[in-house]
Amino acid sequence: MNLDELYRETILDHNQTPRNRRELENPTKTVGLLNPTCGDQIKLDLQLDHGKVTDVGFTGDGCSISMASASMMTEAIKGKSIEEALDLARHFKAFLTGTPSPVELGDLEALQGVSQFPSRVKCATLAHNALEKALMESEPTDR
Amino acid sequence: MINPLVDAAHDFPILNRSMHGHRLVWLDSAATSQKPEPVVEAMDRFYHESNANVLRSVHTLADEATTAFHGARFKAARFIQADRPEEVIFTRGTTESLNMVARGYGDLVVKTDDEIVLSPMEHHSNLIPWQQLAKRTGAKLRYVELSPDGVIRPEALAAVIGPRTRIVALSRISNVLGTINPIAEAAEMVHKHGGIMVVDGAQSVPHESTDVHQLGADFLAFSGHKMCGPTGIGVLYGRMDLLETMEPVMYGGEMISYVDQETATWAEVPQKFEGGTPNIAGAIGLGAAIDYLAGVGMDAIHEHSRALGELAFDTLKSLEGVSVYGPARPHAAAVAFNIDGVHPHDVAQVFDSLGVAIRAGHHCAQPLMHWLGVGSTARASFYLYNSQDDVAVLKQAILETKRFFQR
C-alpha cells in the first residue's frame, strides 16, 4: 500500500494551511454536518448573491482528508453559480468512486487516491454533502 | 519480558497474515478479539455434526444441540460465579443485554424523580438505554464526577448515590481510559439505598476473573466476541429474584407457557427472555471460548493485560507530542492516545500501512470525548496473544506517523 497515493502533497498542504477556514459575518446559508461514525464535523457558511456563491467559509474538526477536501472545495466553488457548485459536488462524489469528472475539479483531483480506501470516502465527501444540503435548502430568492 | 500467554501463531492463524508487507499486529481487541482455533472448531463441529433447533424436538440431533446449548449456559454461569445457570440469559451482546435491563426491569421500578447514576466514561450502550428510560419515566440522570486522570473515587460515588437512586449503571473497565472502576463500592452504596447495581462487563469479563457476588452486580452484561468467542452472542446475568420479576422485551416462540387468542403467560427464566430460536452455534462458540480462557487462567490474563496496558501507557507517555489518557496505575488493556497535530483517523491509516490495526474515533463514548476535550482519539488495545514486542511496534508506528505528517 502506498500512503503517498492517499496523502498527496496538495492534501497535506490544504490540511496544514486550510483556505477559507473562517466563519462568514452574515452568511446567506449555514449548514452543519456530522459524520457519526468517526465524529468528524463541519460547518459551512455560504454567501449567495444573484445565483452565485460570492463567498464561502468553513469551520470544523476532522481528519486531514475531510479538512483538506473542505478547503479545496471552498476554493473550487467561490464565484461559481449555484448550479455549477452543485454539479461540482455531485461529480466529485462520483469521481471518488472511480467515475471521471466532466467538470474541472482543480486541487480536488488530488483526492483521487481516496477511491482505493473505501473507509475514507465518507471523510472526503463530508464537505460536499454539506454544500449540496446548503444549496438545495437555499431560498429561491438567493438563487 | 512480556510474552504472549498462548501459542499465538498456532491458536490464532489470522495473526500469521501479512499486512501490507508487515506482520499483522492486532491492537484492536477492545473492539473485537481474534478467535482461537478451538472456538472456530467447536462451531464448525456443531454445524457439521449436531445442527438442530434446541428445546423443541425429540430426535437425537435436537438432544445433542440442546445439551450443548445448556452446557454453554452452564459454563458461562460458572465463569462469572453465578449461583445458577438459569441466571444467564443469552443475548446478542452487551448492547442487547443492557437494553433488556433498562426496558424489562427499569420500566418496572423507576418512577418520576427517581435517579439513575452513570459516569461520563460510559459507552453509548450503557448510556442511551438509561437516557431513554429516564425520558419514559421522568427519572433524572446523575453523573459521578471523574478525577482529572479519569478515575472514579469512592467520595465521588457517595456524592451522587442517595435515597432516590434506583439504578447505578457503570462499566467495570472503560473502553477508552483503561480505568478499572470500583464496582463493589458503588454496589454497596446503592444497595444501602435499596437500588440495584448494573455492570457493563464488556471490557472486563474478557480480562479478569469475574465474580458477580464480589462485584455486587445485580445485573452484568458482556459480549462473547471480545473474549475470543463469536459475534452475535452475549450474556445478561441477573439475580434470580430480579429476573423473576423482570418483564420480557421480546415476544414469540419458546418464551411462553400458555397462549390463547387473547393472552399469554411466560415461560420460566431464562426462557422467557429468549424468544425465538437462539444463536445456538454462537452459544457453543462462547462456551468453547470460556474453556479456552479458563485453560489459560483468568488471573494470568489479568496480569498480562495490565502489564501490557501499563507498559504501553508509560511508553507513550514518554514520547514527545503524544497525549495519553486515563490513569497511570492501574491501567487496563486499552490505551487511548493522540499525536499532536495529527487526526486519529490519519494515525490509524498510517498504522494500517505498517500492518498495525488500531481503532480511531470516539469509541462510542462521545460524552467522554467532551470530558477529555477532544473530538476523538486513537486507541491501542491488547489481549492474551499480544506481547511486549507489539508495544515496541506501537511506539515505532507513532514515530513513523509523526515523521510522515510532520515533514
Side-chain angles (χ1 to χ4, degrees):
Chain A
M1 170 164 43
N2 191 352
L3 269 188
D4 295 322
E5 265 302 295
L6 178 63
Y7 294 112
R8 296 197 186 154
E9 283 301 332
T10 322
I11 296 174
L12 297 178
D13 172 49
H14 274 271
N15 182 47
Q16 269 156 20
T17 41
R19 329 292 199 257
N20 302 305
R21 191 180 175 117
R22 63 198 161 85
E23 294 187 312
L24 300 189
E25 292 254 330
N26 289 303
T28 324
K29 184 73 194 170
T30 293
V31 158
L33 267 194
L34 267 181
N35 183 341
T37 53
C38 59
D40 283 5
Q41 47 183 302
I42 188 168
K43 184 168 87 72
L44 187 69
D45 288 345
L46 291 172
Q47 198 70 53
L48 304 174
D49 190 20
H50 290 88
K52 275 199 169 178
V53 180
T54 53
D55 202 3
V56 52
F58 80 98
T59 53
D61 174 46
C63 66
S64 61
I65 301 294
S66 71
M67 292 296 108
S69 182
S71 165
M72 294 167 174
M73 183 194 78
T74 60
E75 282 200 315
I77 62 168
K78 211 186 269 192
K80 289 235 165 44
S81 75
I82 288 176
E83 280 63 36
E84 287 169 334
L86 270 174
D87 250 13
L88 180 102
R90 287 166 184 166
H91 287 304
F92 173 71
K93 288 201 281 182
F95 169 76
L96 287 182
T97 55
T99 313
S101 170
V103 304
E104 186 67 45
L105 294 174
D107 279 359
L108 287 166
E109 297 260 3
L111 287 160
Q112 187 177 26
V114 173
S115 61
Q116 289 158 46
F117 298 82
S119 66
R120 304 303 293 278
V121 168
K122 61 186 181 345
C123 311
T125 52
L126 183 66
H128 302 261
N129 289 332
L131 175 65
E132 262 193 295
K133 188 165 189 282
L135 294 177
M136 297 305 283
E137 288 174 0
S138 64
E139 299 295 326
T141 47
D142 299 325
R143 296 190 172 202
Chain B
M1 190 67 197
I2 310 167
N3 292 310
L5 288 180
V6 292
D7 183 348
H10 178 267
D11 291 359
F12 296 85
I14 198 171
L15 297 177
N16 298 324
R17 258 193 81 167
S18 151
M19 196 54 71
H20 311 303
H22 300 268
R23 172 174 76 93
L24 168 65
V25 177
W26 184 253
L27 300 184
D28 201 16
S29 295
T32 199
S33 71
Q34 295 302 345
K35 322 303 173 198
E37 283 297 275
V39 168
V40 180
E41 277 163 15
M43 296 174 72
D44 199 58
R45 200 161 48 244
F46 170 72
Y47 278 130
H48 277 128
E49 295 172 15
S50 303
N51 179 56
N53 211 329
V54 291
L55 308 169
R56 285 160 172 81
S57 308
V58 294
H59 48 71
T60 303
L61 288 186
D63 273 344
E64 287 179 14
T66 303
T67 303
F69 186 62
H70 282 329
R73 197 187 305 279
F74 190 83
K75 286 174 189 178
R78 201 172 43 192
F79 193 62
I80 57 171
Q81 308 296 323
D83 291 336
R84 304 163 57 174
E86 293 81 11
E87 290 178 323
V88 164
I89 299 162
F90 284 125
T91 65
R92 279 192 299 146
T94 305
T95 300
E96 185 172 295
S97 299
L98 291 167
N99 274 276
M100 203 182 261
V101 184
R103 271 278 178 193
Y105 185 78
D107 279 352
L108 278 183
V109 301
V110 173
K111 309 279 182 243
T112 308
D113 293 333
D114 282 347
E115 293 177 354
I116 301 163
V117 171
L118 306 169
S119 88
M121 71 173 84
E122 297 313 311
H123 188 283
H124 295 162
S125 61
N126 194 33
L127 166 63
I128 301 167
W130 308 116
Q131 283 181 350
Q132 293 299 314
L133 172 63
K135 273 192 178 168
R136 289 194 299 274
T137 57
K140 289 195 181 70
L141 299 180
R142 298 202 62 186
Y143 285 88
V144 57
E145 195 178 325
L146 305 183
S147 71
D149 59 347
V151 171
I152 297 177
R153 307 241 179 261
E155 313 85 81
L157 286 169
V160 287
I161 298 174
R164 290 199 169 279
T165 310
R166 301 314 319 146
I167 293 171
V168 176
L170 295 174
S171 51
R172 164 66 172 165
I173 291 180
S174 160
N175 69 320
V176 178
L177 299 172
T179 313
I180 303 172
N181 289 326
I183 299 299
E185 287 84 341
E188 200 185 326
M189 288 180 208
V190 69
H191 288 155
K192 261 186 205 149
H193 295 291
I196 59 141
M197 183 74 222
V198 179
V199 183
D200 170 358
Q203 298 293 339
S204 68
V205 175
H207 289 276
E208 64 176 13
S209 85
T210 300
D211 179 333
V212 289
H213 301 291
Q214 272 180 20
L215 284 174
D218 299 297
F219 290 100
L220 168 74
F222 60 98
S223 300
H225 72 97
K226 294 189 202 287
M227 50 187 284
C228 293
T231 52
I233 188 80
V235 165
L236 173 63
Y237 156 85
R239 240 174 54 204
M240 184 48 84
D241 58 317
L242 301 176
L243 291 179
E244 277 167 352
T245 59
M246 183 163 119
E247 285 291 325
V249 294
M250 193 74 80
Y251 307 104
E254 289 300 322
M255 54 76 64
I256 48 79
S257 172
Y258 175 79
V259 183
D260 63 28
Q261 288 197 348
E262 307 300 329
T263 60
T265 57
W266 310 143
E268 295 296 308
V269 175
Q271 264 71 45
K272 80 168 170 178
F273 300 110
E274 295 181 359
T277 296
N279 182 355
I280 306 164
I284 289 167
L286 175 59
I290 286 171
D291 288 343
Y292 183 80
L293 295 177
V296 178
M298 289 312 295
D299 290 338
I301 292 172
H302 176 63
E303 283 303 310
H304 181 76
S305 295
R306 238 186 88 170
L308 285 176
E310 290 173 358
L311 176 66
F313 183 92
D314 293 348
T315 304
L316 270 53
K317 198 89 185 165
S318 72
L319 298 176
E320 210 172 303
V322 176
S323 307
V324 197
Y325 307 103
R329 296 287 184 279
H331 197 105
V335 182
F337 63 97
N338 267 318
I339 301 176
D340 286 358
V342 188
H343 192 277
H345 274 100
D346 296 317
V347 175
Q349 192 80 61
V350 177
F351 273 47
D352 180 59
S353 75
L354 302 170
V356 184
I358 57 163
R359 173 87 193 271
H362 51 58
H363 315 290
C364 300
Q366 287 185 18
L368 178 60
M369 296 298 112
H370 304 154
W371 184 84
L372 289 170
V374 299
S376 53
T377 77
R379 178 189 69 190
S381 52
F382 303 91
Y383 208 13
L384 70 180
Y385 33 67
N386 293 115
S387 69
Q388 191 163 343
D389 287 345
D390 297 341
V391 178
V393 170
L394 169 66
K395 177 182 170 181
Q396 281 311 312
I398 290 175
L399 297 177
E400 184 68 31
T401 305
K402 289 174 65 150
R403 264 198 297 279
F404 186 82
F405 283 102
Q406 290 161 8
R407 54 188 151 149

